[in-house]
Amino acid sequence: MSNLNNIKRGPIMFALIIGLFVAALNETLMGNALPDLMKSFDLSAATAQWLSTAFMLVVGVLVPVTAILQQWFSTRKIFLSAMGLFFVGTVIAAVSPTFSVLLIGRIIQAVGTGMLLPLVMNVIMTIYPPEKRGGAMGTLGLVVMFAPAIGPTVSGLIVDGLSWRWLFYLVTPFALLSVIIGAAVLKNVSEVTKPRVDFLSIVLSTIGFGGIVYGFSSAGEHGWSEPAVIWTIAAGGVALLLFVWRQLILKQPVMDLRAFKYPTFALVAVLLFVLMMTFFSSAIMLPMFMQGVLLVTAFKSGLILLPGGIINGFMAPVSGKLFDKFGPRVLVIPGLVIAVISLWQFTRFDETTSTGFLVAIHIALMIGIALVMMPAQTAGLNQLPNHLHPHGTAILNTLQQVSGAIGTALYISIMSRGQKQYLSGASDPQALTEIAKGLASGINNAFWFGVIIALVALVLGLFIRKGKSPEHEQSAG
């Protein structure tokens, strides 16, 4: 392992951030392109949706394994492998002659993304001392939040003017640039201990997290009564319980769940799980509201969400610096209050809502989330001893993927039920105005659920503290 005192952090952060920006942007590029793809390959919406669902599924399955990968391979090898796979997947998707080949390209991209996310967080926790981690994690937050925010707008613009293939053509040179810069400047900053790998844990993790993500994603699409949905979630749940039990009895677990013994980390894990359900779900609900109720185009709906996304991204470094100065409570509690009030405003949206009001409330929600996300994560990870950082980052990233799938499925189910209830009492259920009002009613119901979830997060946030790792407490003492 390199001497951390001699490491030049700037070039390392630059290489990591370019890779992460490309990977994060790629996650939301496909949404506006789905109608175009459905025409190109003659697909149903349910089939085309697999380009997003499969991506989330692979990332959700792979992230838990990254903790063990970081103990077997150097930082440099993992980063170059991750970005190399992402580059290959992007090229395959760009030239794909059939939908099956395009899906394979997306899955290879997802493998690279799943390896990259926890690696970047762990490198930051390793190369920065605790008093500077807030600012560094804030810079990471700028990328993680800003890139997905501009994704729908960029894809809407490209799909309107060019073909969907340009979504991959434009990403390819940036992915290649990240590989070249990474090869030139990246040093190994983690300790390679090569612990024994428990393959049964990996199998249980794959079935557990994969089953739950797939099951909930399918429930949002097909409904909860489908036997395949019930059995997949049940199998995932059982495998996950066995995975947890096995990690607690192993001397060298794949994902060390002993991280939950540290109270600040445990609290942050639950808080972020709850909050990310709302974050992912609002990103799906709001475009549906704008396109189905306000009847705006996909490109315009992307533009409406762009200011909130940009402000959210630029708030991340600010909240990181404030975290270093004041700790988490000063940021997290006001952020959650803002999120609750914003979501309550979403429950009042209808066909008369102005786009200006929607933009303002979305900006408020994004500011609230920016005040919570990175400060909470940094506070939780700061309390862990150094050897648990790879496991802590893997746990938080896995929970975010799973919460996104669960939250989206729950929101869509509540929305669909509310829409059906409204239309069952309408005088003319086939009228376009009634369909729009029904959709608005269903979305209002879904956001009421979001308000309840955000209130739970607020209660949890009241107990957050500035965590210190055992090593940091010893050096301070």
Side-chain angles (χ1 to χ4, degrees), residues 212-246:
I212 286 172
V213 172
Y214 175 80
F216 274 92
S217 297
S218 301
E221 187 182 323
H222 301 300
W224 296 97
S225 57
E226 281 284 313
V229 169
I230 296 166
W231 283 108
T232 308
I233 293 174
V238 171
L240 200 56
L241 288 172
L242 291 172
F243 172 75
V244 169
W245 170 75
R246 188 151 182 84

Side-chain angles (χ1 to χ4, degrees), residues 31-51:
N32 276 341
L34 289 182
D36 210 39
L37 284 162
M38 287 160 65
K39 287 178 193 169
S40 294
F41 293 117
D42 190 23
L43 304 170
S44 68
T47 305
Q49 187 60 40
W50 270 101
L51 290 172

